[in-house]
Amino acid sequence: MKVVATSRQEQGSGASRRLRRAGQVPGIVYGGSATPASIQIEHNPLWHALQKEAFHSSILDLEIDGKTEKVLLRDFQSHAYKPQILHIDFQRVDAQSKIHMRVPLHFHGEENSPAVKLSGGLISHVITEIDVTCLPGDLPEFISVDLSSLEGGKSVHVNDIPLPKGVTPVSHENPVVVTVIVKGGAAAAEGEEK
């Protein structure tokens, strides 16, 4: 995804308020060997881009005054109740250095799993994203989790998820990602029929 920005000279809260009134968002780009750069981005295209999941977990092409850099979205501040972005931070990435990022999980196949079809269970998503480390070129937009073989009373842990090549989880523990809650009424009814 591409983001177009221009460099800004004026600093301070007064300058930032003037930018926001003019439909711009103040921001900063940091990291790498270059010095931090103050930027401004047009608000409406940025607001719409932030609504997309991929914008938060992908390497972005940030064009500043015609020069393009590879960056990650690191932080942004929103207004408390208005649909307005107040500030945004990007971090430069080096193709040879590993990055640490939160990647969303996309679940599929749960409606066909034995846990739902045979046990009448409810699938509970405990975690919807995981921390991973990888080279920028290996960063996935999302990680797919297949639940079609999940059985009642079982759970899926981070180490059970096949990760793309070059991607490793950051956690030293093995947290639960998905659990199955079997309904007490359904289990009791099955026991009475037998």
Side-chain angles (χ1 to χ4, degrees):
M1 298 182 83
K2 185 174 183 178
V3 182
V4 179
T6 54
S7 55
R8 68 183 161 103
Q9 307 305 319
E10 294 184 24
Q11 305 291 324
S13 56
S16 294
R17 276 194 298 275
R18 286 191 294 277
L19 274 177
R20 290 184 196 109
R21 280 196 297 271
Q24 300 286 316
V25 177
I28 190 164
V29 182
Y30 59 86
S33 57
T35 57
S38 297
I39 59 170
Q40 62 189 44
I41 303 171
E42 191 176 342
H43 181 272
N44 290 345
L46 178 63
W47 190 84
H48 288 294
L50 283 166
Q51 306 312 306
K52 296 177 182 152
E53 180 183 68
F55 193 80
H56 297 262
S57 61
S58 299
I59 304 294
L60 308 170
D61 291 320
L62 178 64
E63 181 184 311
I64 305 172
D65 300 330
K67 183 183 171 198
T68 303
E69 300 182 70
K70 299 283 188 193
V71 297
L72 285 170
L73 171 66
R74 277 304 183 193
D75 194 19
F76 67 96
Q77 290 82 44
S78 301
H79 192 278
Y81 56 88
K82 294 182 194 174
Q84 181 182 15
I85 308 302
L86 302 176
H87 192 273
I88 192 157
D89 296 356
F90 294 102
Q91 179 185 357
R92 294 181 187 99
V93 294
D94 176 20
Q96 306 306 317
S97 300
K98 286 194 171 189
I99 55 173
H100 175 216
M101 197 71 189
R102 293 184 76 76
V103 176
L105 299 173
H106 285 191
F107 302 96
H108 60 90
E110 56 192 60
E111 64 280 351
N112 297 322
S113 70
V116 173
K117 284 188 141 184
L118 302 177
S119 303
L122 295 172
I123 294 182
S124 174
H125 302 162
V126 179
I127 299 174
T128 57
E129 57 185 15
I130 60 172
D131 286 329
V132 298
T133 183
C134 62
L135 290 173
D138 295 333
L139 181 66
E141 187 177 312
F142 62 87
I143 295 172
S144 183
V145 182
D146 183 10
L147 301 177
S148 60
S149 61
L150 187 61
E151 297 177 4
K154 303 284 184 184
S155 59
V156 177
H157 293 78
V158 167
N159 292 345
D160 300 331
I161 301 171
L163 298 176
K165 184 181 173 224
V167 178
T168 55
V170 173
S171 177
H172 298 292
E173 300 165 2
N174 190 16
V176 173
V177 176
V178 173
T179 61
V180 178
I181 302 165
V182 179
K183 298 176 192 171
E190 285 177 17
E192 290 169 3
E193 290 174 7
K194 295 177 181 177

